[in-house]
């Protein structure tokens, strides 16, 4: 990993946690830990930010992000989170990356391994499904939190529902992940490094990859 591990963690942990939350919900901190541990073995190639997202996505995939329901608190009353949980993982992922202003569409396309036009269609579908899901929950009277209801109604009227979802990302990570990640980094760095294997699905980011 290039640079001081603590500085790299401070620069990227928040965005990786938001990304992990879009895929794993309440288990997001585990993906952050896994991504930084993997970065010791697989130093960034090309754009550091996109490389870390690639490691984060691989970590989330290995923990079943694309094969199981999104994990949020049992009995969640927020209609927005209920609707987000009904989205496909990659829809929720792309939506959070864009709405949280973490990445632009071309970079989201690199992280997801899709064409930019495909990502735009994915975002369009995700926004529509999110709004339908929220409206459906409201009409069925499933939302018990009056504040959350008022927020989502205002966001629907303003067309800012995805941005509101991005603001639902919990502030900070539970426990003491920074210390745990840096301790893990030290352990990994002290071990002999095996032949590097590239993360999946995104393996190379930078001029060479773009020209392929």
């Amino acid at each position: 990993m290039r640079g001081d591990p603590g500085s790299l963690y401070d620069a990227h942990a928040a965005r990786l946690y938001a990304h992990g939350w879009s895929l794993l919900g309440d288990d997001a901190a585990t993906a952050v830990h896994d991504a930084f541990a993997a970065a010791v073995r697989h130093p960034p190639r090309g754009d550091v930010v996109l490389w870390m997202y690639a490691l984060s996505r691989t970590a989330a995939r290995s923990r079943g992000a694309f094969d199981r329901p999104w994990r949020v608190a049992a009995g969640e009353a927020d209609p927005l989170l209920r609707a987000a949980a009904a989205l496909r993982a990659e829809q929720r992922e792309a939506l959070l990356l864009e709405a949280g202003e973490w990445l632009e569409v071309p970079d989201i396309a690199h992280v997801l391994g899709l064409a930019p036009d495909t990502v735009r269609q994915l975002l369009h579908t995700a926004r529509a499904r999110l709004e339908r899901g929220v409206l459906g929950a409201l009409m069925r009277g499933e939302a018990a939190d009056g504040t959350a209801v008022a927020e989502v109604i205002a966001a629907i009227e303003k067309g800012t529902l995805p941005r509101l979802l991005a603001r639902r990302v919990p502030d900070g990570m539970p426990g003491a992940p920074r210390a745990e990640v840096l301790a893990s980094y030290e352990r990994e760095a002290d071990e002999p490094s095996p032949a590097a294997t590239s993360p999946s699905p995104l393996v190379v980011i930078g001029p060479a990859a773009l020209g392929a």
Side-chain angles (χ1 to χ4, degrees):
M1 186 188 294
R2 293 183 297 194
D4 171 64
S7 298
L8 285 167
Y9 181 91
D10 294 339
H12 302 295
R15 69 169 72 234
L16 294 184
Y17 182 65
H19 179 232
W21 185 80
S22 75
L23 292 170
L24 293 168
D26 294 341
D27 291 340
T30 60
V32 175
H33 184 282
D34 292 351
F36 277 94
V40 180
R41 298 295 188 187
H42 311 292
R45 306 177 188 179
D47 187 293
V48 175
V49 171
L50 297 186
W51 182 250
M52 293 305 297
Y53 272 120
L55 294 174
S56 173
R57 194 169 204 260
T58 298
R61 181 183 294 277
S62 72
R63 290 183 175 273
F66 298 92
D67 303 313
R68 61 171 174 78
W70 194 48
R71 292 188 178 177
V72 292
E76 177 58 61
D78 185 337
L80 181 53
L81 292 182
R82 292 172 66 92
L87 298 178
R88 297 205 327 262
E90 62 270 22
Q91 291 175 335
R92 193 170 51 250
E93 177 186 19
L95 203 62
L96 264 294
L97 286 173
E98 185 200 42
E101 299 183 348
W102 296 111
L103 293 177
E104 301 289 340
V105 167
D107 289 334
I108 295 173
H110 282 304
V111 173
L112 272 62
L114 300 172
D117 285 347
T118 303
V119 170
R120 292 187 183 94
Q121 181 59 44
L122 185 71
L123 287 167
H124 175 78
T125 301
R127 293 187 198 103
R129 288 193 62 189
L130 185 69
E131 183 170 330
R132 285 199 304 270
V134 169
L135 290 172
L138 293 177
M139 292 178 65
R140 291 189 297 271
E142 296 174 355
D145 187 326
T147 300
V149 169
E151 284 183 335
V152 296
I153 290 175
I156 291 172
E157 292 173 346
K158 296 175 183 177
T160 59
L161 205 55
R163 292 184 185 179
L164 181 60
L165 178 61
R167 294 204 298 273
R168 292 288 197 265
V169 179
D171 292 329
M173 286 179 279
R178 187 181 193 277
E180 293 172 5
V181 166
L182 296 185
S184 176
Y185 169 83
E186 294 297 336
R187 290 193 299 270
E188 291 282 346
D190 288 341
E191 295 179 4
S193 179
T197 57
S198 298
S200 173
L202 186 62
V203 294
V204 178
I205 299 173
L210 297 179

